[in-house]
Amino acid sequence: MGEFDAAGEVVSGALWSRAAENRHGEGHGEHGGICLNCGARLLGPHCHRCGQAGHVHRTIGAIGHEILHGVVHFEGKLWNTLPLLFFRPGELTRRYIHGERARFVSPMAMFLFSVFTMFAVLQIMGISPPAEVGTAAQFEQGLSFARQNTESALADARESRARAEPGSERAKKLDKRIAGLSRDLEEFKKIPVSLSRASGKGLNFKTGWKRLDKGIEKANHNPGLALYKLQTNSYKFSWALIPLSIPFVWLLFFWKRRFKGYDHAVFVTYSLSFMSLLGILLTIAGGLGLRLNIIATVAVFAPPLHIFFQMKGAYRLRGWSALLRTFVLLNMITFIVVIFALLLLGLGLLG
């Protein structure tokens, strides 16, 4: 059965086949040629119906060209998107919602890029929770053993230092060792035993969902394994954070009919993308030796500030209105994270 071109002319299967067999023939890819994708007659170098180029390649070099074009094309959009995502997120969200999309990476593409990059960085940096933590009693026993070993090593170092010749290289090395062991011992003393006992309480409730209750029981028995599985599996289901978050954002504007579900989806997806990219930057900064207090400060204050400015700009809110909604949303985020973790537990991914 034939196909109709844009002018209503039938492009028969035989004509289509001849065009496909003569890809390198005279006139193919020029005005009057036939699109090998949809069969429409070409009116220019690209098909006006499906957008495919009139001239196609069948060479090994064409594969490299397509890869390069895809990377450069995405990169061009990426450099248009990243500055706005970091410094003017509200403007980026508003412009994308209102139709300015060709120059920006789409919210979902940016989200997938940021999530995959984040977990790649975590794997490269070797950052992961221990797979085995054990019970609270085992934790206390390990903590006590480590503290005793540190105290013993510190006493030996001080004894050796007393016998070392003042000003010698050995004395200097022992001074550094004593200082390091003293710091370690102070850190151990800052960990209260009551905290380790409290950490062993876990989640003591039943939901009635057998799979979820079983997952909670396993997580309580070995929280370290649950954390490890959370890291290794969460990226596969991180997309679930988008539909989980949209209703909470909708609640902030449900009486304003001009804001649609699509608007909230774009807001949420770009926001989650920023959070992932921020995690990447802080992880790399920590690996390069940036002070922990600086990293912690940025991690605490950057997300709420970003949400505030994104909400203010995307929805064109006044400052006090955006601030109030940001405060409410930050509290809702706790429930979103809990729901996400319970979802993974219910699916048996953390047990």
Short mmCIF file of all heavy atoms in Angstrom, two decimals, residues 112-127 231 235 280 283-284:
data_model
loop_
_atom_site.label_atom_id
_atom_site.label_comp_id
_atom_site.label_asym_id
_atom_site.label_seq_id
_atom_site.Cartn_x
_atom_site.Cartn_y
_atom_site.Cartn_z
N LEU A 112 17.98 13.38 34.27
CA LEU A 112 18.68 12.12 34.03
C LEU A 112 20.19 12.34 33.96
O LEU A 112 20.97 11.55 34.51
CB LEU A 112 18.17 11.49 32.73
CG LEU A 112 16.70 11.03 32.75
CD1 LEU A 112 16.29 10.54 31.37
CD2 LEU A 112 16.49 9.95 33.79
N PHE A 113 20.60 13.40 33.30
CA PHE A 113 22.02 13.72 33.20
C PHE A 113 22.63 13.93 34.59
O PHE A 113 23.70 13.40 34.92
CB PHE A 113 22.21 14.96 32.34
CG PHE A 113 23.60 15.55 32.41
CD1 PHE A 113 24.65 14.98 31.71
CD2 PHE A 113 23.85 16.69 33.16
CE1 PHE A 113 25.93 15.52 31.76
CE2 PHE A 113 25.12 17.24 33.23
CZ PHE A 113 26.16 16.65 32.54
N SER A 114 21.95 14.70 35.43
CA SER A 114 22.48 15.02 36.75
C SER A 114 22.51 13.80 37.67
O SER A 114 23.48 13.58 38.40
CB SER A 114 21.66 16.14 37.40
OG SER A 114 20.31 15.75 37.58
N VAL A 115 21.47 12.97 37.60
CA VAL A 115 21.40 11.78 38.47
C VAL A 115 22.48 10.78 38.09
O VAL A 115 23.21 10.26 38.95
CB VAL A 115 20.01 11.14 38.39
CG1 VAL A 115 20.01 9.77 39.06
CG2 VAL A 115 18.99 12.03 39.08
N PHE A 116 22.61 10.49 36.80
CA PHE A 116 23.62 9.52 36.37
C PHE A 116 25.02 10.03 36.66
O PHE A 116 25.90 9.28 37.07
CB PHE A 116 23.47 9.23 34.87
CG PHE A 116 22.23 8.46 34.53
CD1 PHE A 116 21.59 8.64 33.31
CD2 PHE A 116 21.69 7.56 35.43
CE1 PHE A 116 20.43 7.93 33.00
CE2 PHE A 116 20.54 6.84 35.14
CZ PHE A 116 19.91 7.03 33.91
N THR A 117 25.24 11.33 36.47
CA THR A 117 26.54 11.90 36.77
C THR A 117 26.85 11.83 38.26
O THR A 117 27.98 11.52 38.66
CB THR A 117 26.60 13.37 36.29
OG1 THR A 117 26.28 13.44 34.90
CG2 THR A 117 27.99 13.95 36.52
N MET A 118 25.84 12.10 39.08
CA MET A 118 26.05 12.08 40.53
C MET A 118 26.48 10.69 41.01
O MET A 118 27.45 10.55 41.76
CB MET A 118 24.77 12.49 41.25
CG MET A 118 24.91 12.48 42.78
SD MET A 118 23.39 12.97 43.64
CE MET A 118 22.32 11.60 43.23
N PHE A 119 25.80 9.66 40.55
CA PHE A 119 26.14 8.32 41.02
C PHE A 119 27.44 7.83 40.40
O PHE A 119 28.15 7.03 41.00
CB PHE A 119 24.99 7.36 40.75
CG PHE A 119 23.88 7.50 41.75
CD1 PHE A 119 22.81 8.34 41.51
CD2 PHE A 119 23.94 6.82 42.95
CE1 PHE A 119 21.81 8.49 42.44
CE2 PHE A 119 22.94 6.96 43.90
CZ PHE A 119 21.87 7.80 43.64
N ALA A 120 27.78 8.32 39.21
CA ALA A 120 29.08 8.00 38.63
C ALA A 120 30.19 8.61 39.47
O ALA A 120 31.21 7.97 39.76
CB ALA A 120 29.16 8.51 37.20
N VAL A 121 29.99 9.85 39.92
CA VAL A 121 30.98 10.53 40.76
C VAL A 121 31.12 9.82 42.09
O VAL A 121 32.23 9.63 42.61
CB VAL A 121 30.59 12.01 40.97
CG1 VAL A 121 31.45 12.65 42.05
CG2 VAL A 121 30.73 12.78 39.66
N LEU A 122 30.00 9.39 42.68
CA LEU A 122 30.05 8.67 43.96
C LEU A 122 30.85 7.37 43.82
O LEU A 122 31.62 7.02 44.72
CB LEU A 122 28.64 8.36 44.45
CG LEU A 122 27.80 9.56 44.92
CD1 LEU A 122 26.41 9.10 45.30
CD2 LEU A 122 28.46 10.27 46.09
N GLN A 123 30.66 6.69 42.70
CA GLN A 123 31.41 5.44 42.49
C GLN A 123 32.89 5.73 42.28
O GLN A 123 33.75 5.02 42.81
CB GLN A 123 30.84 4.69 41.28
CG GLN A 123 29.44 4.15 41.49
CD GLN A 123 29.38 3.11 42.60
OE1 GLN A 123 30.28 2.28 42.75
NE2 GLN A 123 28.33 3.15 43.39
N ILE A 124 33.20 6.76 41.49
CA ILE A 124 34.60 7.11 41.23
C ILE A 124 35.30 7.53 42.51
O ILE A 124 36.46 7.16 42.77
CB ILE A 124 34.68 8.22 40.17
CG1 ILE A 124 34.20 7.68 38.81
CG2 ILE A 124 36.11 8.75 40.05
CD1 ILE A 124 34.07 8.75 37.76
N MET A 125 34.59 8.32 43.33
CA MET A 125 35.17 8.81 44.59
C MET A 125 35.20 7.73 45.66
O MET A 125 35.79 7.92 46.72
CB MET A 125 34.39 10.02 45.10
CG MET A 125 34.32 11.18 44.12
SD MET A 125 35.87 12.07 43.95
CE MET A 125 35.98 12.90 45.52
N GLY A 126 34.52 6.61 45.41
CA GLY A 126 34.50 5.52 46.39
C GLY A 126 33.70 5.83 47.62
O GLY A 126 34.00 5.35 48.72
N ILE A 127 32.64 6.63 47.45
CA ILE A 127 31.82 7.04 48.59
C ILE A 127 30.60 6.13 48.67
O ILE A 127 29.77 6.10 47.77
CB ILE A 127 31.37 8.50 48.46
CG1 ILE A 127 32.59 9.41 48.43
CG2 ILE A 127 30.44 8.88 49.60
CD1 ILE A 127 32.26 10.86 48.19
N GLN A 231 21.64 3.52 48.36
CA GLN A 231 22.52 4.24 47.44
C GLN A 231 22.59 3.54 46.09
O GLN A 231 22.54 4.18 45.04
CB GLN A 231 23.92 4.37 48.02
CG GLN A 231 24.91 5.04 47.06
CD GLN A 231 26.26 5.26 47.68
OE1 GLN A 231 26.37 5.84 48.75
NE2 GLN A 231 27.30 4.79 47.02
N TYR A 235 19.12 5.48 42.45
CA TYR A 235 19.22 6.17 41.16
C TYR A 235 18.30 5.53 40.13
O TYR A 235 17.81 6.20 39.22
CB TYR A 235 20.67 6.18 40.67
CG TYR A 235 21.13 4.93 39.98
CD1 TYR A 235 21.07 4.81 38.60
CD2 TYR A 235 21.62 3.85 40.71
CE1 TYR A 235 21.49 3.65 37.96
CE2 TYR A 235 22.03 2.70 40.10
CZ TYR A 235 21.98 2.60 38.72
OH TYR A 235 22.38 1.45 38.10
N ILE A 280 27.01 16.76 43.42
CA ILE A 280 28.21 16.43 42.66
C ILE A 280 29.33 17.40 42.99
O ILE A 280 30.48 17.01 43.28
CB ILE A 280 27.92 16.46 41.15
CG1 ILE A 280 26.95 15.34 40.78
CG2 ILE A 280 29.20 16.34 40.33
CD1 ILE A 280 26.42 15.44 39.36
N THR A 283 30.65 16.95 46.53
CA THR A 283 31.42 15.70 46.65
C THR A 283 32.83 15.89 46.09
O THR A 283 33.82 15.49 46.71
CB THR A 283 30.71 14.57 45.91
OG1 THR A 283 29.41 14.36 46.48
CG2 THR A 283 31.51 13.28 46.00
N ILE A 284 32.90 16.50 44.92
CA ILE A 284 34.21 16.75 44.30
C ILE A 284 35.03 17.71 45.15
O ILE A 284 36.23 17.52 45.36
CB ILE A 284 34.03 17.30 42.87
CG1 ILE A 284 33.37 16.24 41.99
CG2 ILE A 284 35.38 17.72 42.29
CD1 ILE A 284 33.04 16.73 40.60
#
